[in-house]
Amino acid sequence: MTAQAIAASAPPRYRPLRFGVTRALTRAGAGGVQYLSADQPLQAYDARMSDRLGHWARSTPDVSFMAQRARRADGSLGDWRHLSYAQALDAARRIGQALLDRGLSAERPVLILSENSLDHALLALGCLWAGVPWCPASPAYSIVSQDFGKLRHVIQTLTPGLIWAEDGARYGRAIAAAAPADAEIVLSRNADAAALQGRASTPLAALLATAPTPQVDAAQAATEPDTIVKFLFTSGSTKLPKAVINTHRMWCANQQQMRQSMPTLQQEKPILVDWLPWNHTFGGNHNVGMVLANGGTLYIDEGRPTPALVDETLRNLREIAPTLYFNVPTGFDAIASAMKTDDALRRNFLSRVKMFFYAGASLAQPVWESLFESAERELGERVVMTCGFGMTESSPYGLFPTSPDIQAGDLGLPTPAMECKLVPAEGKLELRYRGPNITPGYWRAPEATAEAFDGEGFFCTGDAVRWIDDADPNRGLRFDGRIAEDFKLATGTFVSVGPLRARVIAGGAPFIQDVVLTGLNRSEIGALVFPTPAVRSLAGLPADAPLAEVLRHPAVRARFQSLVTDLSLTATGSANRVARLLLLAEPPSIDKGEVTDKGSINQRAVLKERDALVQALYDETPGVDVIKPGAAP
């Protein structure tokens, strides 16, 4: 055997990464129920997250807690502006005193409207220190939505006493339309914006100028493990968003769970370059909490995995080398593509990163391979790609892989002290869990809270899982779709939406943003496809060409006709054979509930709102836009 052949057959080398939970404890229950947990106990953890801020402000006062590029007068982004741990604590005490002076509480919390920023962080830390809950609402509810329906729902649920926004011009229209008269408005800039319609406001600088008293430190000392830290709204992918109660116990326990499942956090302070929004548990609890709990630094990335903003992310990664890197699949896709030719990006980005972590959707195999190729070219070894499972209700960290040898969809084993319950449901296994990181419920929604937990106190996720290896539970679990999304064909054949949806997206990469599967009570499965901007590259039309024209271009139709044909030929039966496809020129609507602010598709809402297209998809004589296997492009 040649040296080249030996190298090709050898197992891949990975940059060293230790996995903290590699063995499982299982037990059987009645009616086919199975219980699964880690084989190790959860070690001691802090009583409150604010203690970590005080600890690092005393022990490493000059270390940067966060950094953000300063914005120049012309709107461009300049050099990094750093916030040290000592500065963060000083600001937190000042803002916290101002919040106490206003009598704010869980009944009258703080509502944050704006994106990630240093000011956002300071206000949140002030709330944390004073024991006043806050809620970071999705910015999309204010700047994308046209009717502000979900913002009004958030406000009605919380009854905030103070509402903060970074920019009066950017958020003024939403404030004028939805903010109640008895809520104080606080702004960082543009308090005289016309969009505010004369609504009075307080500058954030006034809160920062407040002199702290012993009262604010006493308030911090009075907080307990069950004190509410903040409210995070669910994505609303199936119903109106619910306000998930987040306590100190949940957040602190989850950070210790992460340390034990990801031992790298105990070996090196994390350095993150991160854009993930703080109104979501991934960005706001997982990543901000990881930095605060372990004394690391978070560089706020104002880029996004979109054609218009990804260059800012690439610029930041050329300059700041993270130790761990988190993103969604579209972000990794853009980075993988850029690293093929960008030597500076590849060299700096890979220089000290120990682990990649994706979430939010399935990561296409070609993206994995491209990331591995760049790492092997630069380092001579791969960087481990990981994923896991978590929800807003679990703080969110819940399951994590047991080795570097994972595939898309592998979830791994539960973190210490979080017990999983696998319950037979609709021919699948529903995942439920219980532990110190699980929410006590939804704010002001006792009925929804009662529905969310079973008789043993396990939170019912509605997600299905299966064993990676039925003979070896130590390998853990694999995602098997959302039970509520699955349906039956007219033949009675059960369609498992999650795995098939992932297969369609992977087969159509990089041209499919998302897909909604159809076929309830019909004889065949169909697909409504939301394309990515990359589809324009197939058509070669002018950049301003209408998307509908792009989607009818012969080259585009040929690409998707090939996809449908491949899916049909490789199917094992009607339950996973996509027989017809329709490309959608109109993006999903947040106001109609078709998509959440983080981009998650609400399958049922799309099917309801686009019923006419579903009917057209199944016409006996389908229109020219319907693409079928073997059809001429």
Side-chain angles (χ1 to χ4, degrees):
M1 183 179 290
T2 66
Q4 184 177 6
I6 294 173
S9 63
R13 288 182 53 200
Y14 288 95
R15 175 167 276 181
L17 180 72
R18 189 162 68 87
F19 292 81
V21 177
T22 59
R23 298 191 62 80
L25 299 175
T26 62
R27 62 185 176 92
V33 171
Q34 304 169 69
Y35 297 88
L36 172 68
S37 60
D39 71 339
Q40 58 182 275
L42 181 64
Q43 298 170 9
Y45 54 89
D46 294 297
R48 53 199 163 216
M49 186 61 77
S50 51
D51 288 341
R52 304 310 297 162
L53 176 59
H55 170 77
W56 298 118
R58 292 188 297 272
S59 61
T60 58
D62 298 327
V63 169
S64 290
F65 167 49
M66 284 191 185
Q68 181 180 23
R69 290 191 185 275
R71 193 168 292 275
R72 303 187 182 100
D74 63 0
S76 62
L77 297 174
D79 295 332
W80 293 102
R81 171 191 166 205
H82 289 261
L83 174 71
S84 72
Y85 277 95
Q87 292 169 330
L89 177 57
D90 178 65
R93 295 180 69 243
R94 291 174 177 275
I95 292 175
Q97 182 66 56
L99 300 179
L100 293 176
D101 291 345
R102 287 160 169 78
L104 299 176
S105 66
E107 301 298 324
R108 300 281 287 165
V110 171
L111 177 61
I112 291 177
L113 301 186
S114 294
E115 297 97 334
N116 305 357
S117 71
L118 292 183
D119 280 0
H120 182 152
L122 292 178
L123 186 56
L125 291 176
C127 291
L128 180 70
W129 196 261
V132 175
W134 80 95
C135 173
S138 166
Y141 295 170
S142 298
I143 58 177
V144 176
S145 174
Q146 297 302 304
D147 62 10
F148 306 117
K150 287 189 176 179
L151 178 60
R152 288 190 173 93
H153 168 71
V154 168
I155 289 172
Q156 289 168 4
T157 301
L158 297 179
T159 60
L162 184 150
I163 299 176
W164 172 80
E166 185 98 33
D167 189 333
R170 185 169 171 79
Y171 287 87
R173 183 168 165 263
I175 291 170
D182 62 347
E184 180 180 6
I185 305 302
V186 176
L187 300 170
S188 291
R189 61 177 183 272
N190 288 331
D192 58 351
L196 287 162
Q197 299 181 17
R199 179 71 185 260
S201 66
T202 302
L204 181 63
L207 275 63
L208 283 164
T210 305
T213 73
Q215 179 192 18
V216 72
D217 295 324
Q220 189 270 340
T223 55
E224 298 177 341
D226 292 325
T227 298
I228 298 174
V229 174
K230 59 181 170 178
F231 303 105
L232 287 176
F233 276 80
T234 58
S235 62
S237 59
T238 55
K239 300 178 181 178
L240 276 175
K242 299 184 289 289
V244 179
I245 298 169
N246 283 245
T247 66
H248 281 283
R249 185 191 310 278
M250 289 170 59
W251 205 5
C252 293
N254 203 228
Q255 289 301 315
Q256 179 58 35
Q257 289 170 322
M258 290 164 59
R259 278 190 287 267
Q260 289 181 233
S261 292
M262 296 189 292
T264 184
L265 293 172
Q266 303 175 45
Q267 300 164 354
E268 178 180 37
K269 291 183 177 181
I271 307 296
L272 305 188
V273 180
D274 195 57
W275 67 268
L276 291 163
W278 297 343
N279 58 287
H280 291 304
T281 186
F282 189 13
N285 271 2
H286 189 284
N287 291 358
V288 172
M290 173 186 292
V291 169
L292 180 57
N294 297 287
T297 303
L298 190 152
Y299 288 84
I300 298 173
D301 176 15
E302 295 189 60
R304 292 292 185 276
T306 65
L309 296 174
V310 71
D311 284 346
E312 179 62 21
T313 292
L314 300 179
R315 172 197 181 192
N316 292 333
L317 293 176
R318 290 187 198 100
E319 186 173 328
I320 307 298
T323 60
L324 307 168
Y325 190 70
F326 304 89
N327 212 325
V328 296
T330 52
F332 276 113
D333 189 5
I335 292 168
S337 178
M339 281 201 297
K340 293 177 182 178
T341 56
D342 191 328
D343 295 343
L345 171 66
R346 190 175 59 252
R347 181 169 55 252
N348 191 70
F349 178 45
L350 298 174
S351 61
R352 60 180 178 182
V353 66
K354 305 299 188 303
M355 181 187 81
F356 295 143
F357 188 114
Y358 78 90
S362 179
L363 185 66
Q365 193 61 38
V367 179
W368 286 54
E369 293 171 356
S370 180
L371 289 166
F372 287 158
E373 288 170 3
S374 288
E376 288 172 337
R377 173 182 171 189
E378 186 69 30
L379 308 171
E381 58 189 4
R382 297 177 175 183
V383 175
V384 177
M385 173 61 76
T386 65
C387 62
F389 187 85
M391 303 179 72
T392 309
E393 291 87 348
S394 63
S395 308
Y397 191 87
L399 294 97
F400 192 66
T402 62
S403 79
D405 301 316
I406 69 168
Q407 298 179 358
D410 288 356
L411 306 179
L413 290 175
T415 196
M418 195 189 83
E419 186 178 17
C420 291
K421 180 180 179 181
L422 311 182
V423 181
E426 303 290 344
K428 294 191 172 187
L429 291 175
E430 183 195 4
L431 174 65
R432 302 180 183 181
Y433 41 52
R434 179 175 69 184
N437 57 311
I438 306 303
T439 182
Y442 302 111
W443 184 243
R444 294 173 174 168
E447 292 183 1
T449 297
E451 292 173 359
F453 293 88
D454 69 13
E456 292 186 287
F458 282 84
F459 179 80
C460 305
T461 70
D463 289 300
V465 295
R466 56 185 172 87
W467 296 101
I468 294 174
D469 184 345
D470 291 330
D472 184 7
N474 292 320
R475 294 193 60 191
L477 301 172
R478 181 174 177 81
F479 185 64
D480 199 24
R482 292 279 299 173
I483 292 174
E485 292 177 348
D486 294 345
F487 59 87
K488 288 183 179 180
L489 297 173
T491 59
T493 302
F494 198 76
V495 177
S496 182
V497 169
L500 181 56
R501 174 175 166 270
R503 186 166 152 242
V504 175
I505 294 174
F511 305 112
I512 295 181
Q513 183 69 45
D514 218 319
V515 61
V516 173
L517 297 178
T518 67
L520 175 65
N521 296 327
R522 298 182 182 273
S523 60
E524 296 179 329
I525 299 173
L528 301 177
V529 172
F530 292 101
T532 66
V535 75
R536 291 182 176 274
S537 65
L538 294 172
L541 296 173
D544 59 352
L547 183 56
E549 181 182 348
V550 171
L551 298 182
R552 291 192 179 101
H553 191 277
V556 174
R557 290 182 57 79
R559 174 65 181 84
F560 282 93
Q561 190 269 325
S562 175
L563 169 64
V564 177
T565 301
D566 289 344
L567 291 170
S568 179
L569 292 174
T570 56
T572 57
S574 61
N576 57 20
R577 178 182 294 114
V578 176
R580 51 192 71 210
L581 181 149
L582 190 62
L583 298 171
L584 304 180
E586 181 183 351
S589 166
I590 192 170
D591 286 334
K592 294 178 180 178
E594 293 183 321
V595 65
T596 69
D597 59 293
K598 66 179 181 181
S600 300
I601 289 292
N602 181 337
Q603 300 262 335
R604 287 183 289 183
V606 171
L607 293 173
K608 176 184 176 182
E609 294 294 332
R610 305 187 189 228
D611 182 67
L613 292 178
V614 176
Q615 301 302 325
L617 188 62
Y618 288 94
D619 277 350
E620 291 186 11
T621 55
V624 294
D625 290 335
V626 176
I627 301 173
K628 301 183 70 175

